[in-house]
Amino acid sequence: MKYRSVFDIIGPIMIGPSSSHTAGAAKIGRVARKLFSDRPQQVDVTLYGSFAETYRGHGTDVALAAGLLGFDANDPRLPDALTIAADQRMSVTFTADRDTQVDHPNTARLHLTKGKNELDLVGVSIGGGKIEITEVDGFSISLSGSNPALLVLHRDKYGAVAEVAGLIAKYEMNISYMEVSRHEKGHLAMMVIQTDEEIGEGLAAEVSALPNMLNVAVLS
């Protein structure tokens, strides 16, 4: 097995007993918050596998709440995240689903709402503080959360992917990973584009202005 850095071996700097159950959980929550682009009023979290069995003892619930507040895994406020969330009128509920079989034991589904805005996300903590987002609003994706990323909900039309890729080239940015997920040909689809460079507001605005683009989210 090859490691890209010493942190792949020893894990991240963090507050909490477990890199998978605490640092990874905080990162899942933080990615959900970034994609939602606002502080949610209500978050319903369903925990599966090992998460469901040990989430209280390992602080997974606290870590997820911390991420939803925008805190990093090493933020000193992390142990008080549930209290801070309540103070900010962000309701977070946890349900342990011990019956549903999942591909990875450290899996969580987060449903965020505020008014009419909703986001549904499935995240997996794969160890050492690393995560993978496997689903967003019903679209199967693969997103590490380690690189800047552009998520684009769009109508599945000819040329849509090429137009977005063209704008990224215009900004002289390199695509490190790209995929398109769709439920049915000619209906809705989601692009996931990870880049080597940070994604600015200018690029996101230009992508949003393209035909057939419905929603654009930036993960930095």
Side-chain angles (χ1 to χ4, degrees):
M1 181 180 291
K2 294 182 179 179
Y3 298 99
R4 290 182 294 180
S5 75
V6 67
F7 296 105
D8 290 346
I9 302 171
I10 65 173
I13 299 170
M14 64 177 205
I15 294 172
S18 165
S19 61
S20 293
H21 287 220
T22 309
K27 195 169 186 180
I28 291 170
R30 198 158 188 263
V31 169
R33 171 64 180 265
K34 286 184 176 180
L35 292 179
F36 196 64
S37 301
D38 198 358
R39 184 176 69 232
Q41 292 175 329
Q42 176 72 37
V43 184
D44 298 309
V45 181
T46 305
L47 302 162
Y48 305 93
S50 180
F51 269 1
E53 298 293 339
T54 63
Y55 73 95
R56 285 195 178 94
H58 283 188
T60 305
D61 51 349
V62 177
L64 283 164
L68 288 162
L69 289 165
F71 300 168
D72 288 321
N74 62 349
D75 194 302
R77 297 170 293 177
L78 187 147
D80 301 315
L82 289 172
T83 300
I84 295 171
D87 289 343
Q88 295 188 10
R89 298 190 177 182
M90 183 177 76
S91 175
V92 186
T93 66
F94 298 91
T95 301
D97 185 339
R98 297 179 175 87
D99 299 321
T100 301
Q101 297 297 310
V102 290
D103 293 333
H104 194 282
N106 300 327
T107 300
R109 178 181 292 275
L110 285 68
H111 187 77
L112 290 69
T113 58
K114 183 174 184 178
K116 294 182 179 180
N117 296 326
E118 296 187 42
L119 174 73
D120 195 72
L121 175 148
V122 176
V124 176
S125 180
I126 59 177
K130 296 182 177 299
I131 68 165
E132 182 181 7
I133 304 301
T134 60
E135 184 182 315
V136 173
D137 287 338
F139 292 95
S140 296
I141 66 169
S142 178
L143 179 65
S144 69
S146 299
N147 295 84
L150 191 68
L151 277 73
V152 183
L153 180 67
H154 61 101
R155 296 184 182 90
D156 185 29
K157 299 293 185 180
Y158 173 82
V161 174
E163 287 180 319
V164 174
L167 283 177
I168 292 172
K170 171 188 168 183
Y171 279 80
E172 298 182 347
M173 298 170 64
N174 188 51
I175 296 174
S176 60
Y177 174 83
M178 182 175 184
E179 68 172 323
V180 179
S181 175
R182 65 183 183 183
H183 298 311
E184 188 178 348
K185 180 180 177 180
H187 290 262
L188 295 181
M190 179 173 286
M191 280 182 245
V192 177
I193 304 170
Q194 297 188 60
T195 61
D196 292 332
E197 298 82 13
E198 292 294 330
I199 299 169
E201 294 181 2
L203 172 59
E206 288 199 50
V207 172
S208 297
L210 290 172
N212 300 308
M213 304 299 151
L214 301 176
N215 191 28
V216 177
V218 175
L219 183 64
S220 58

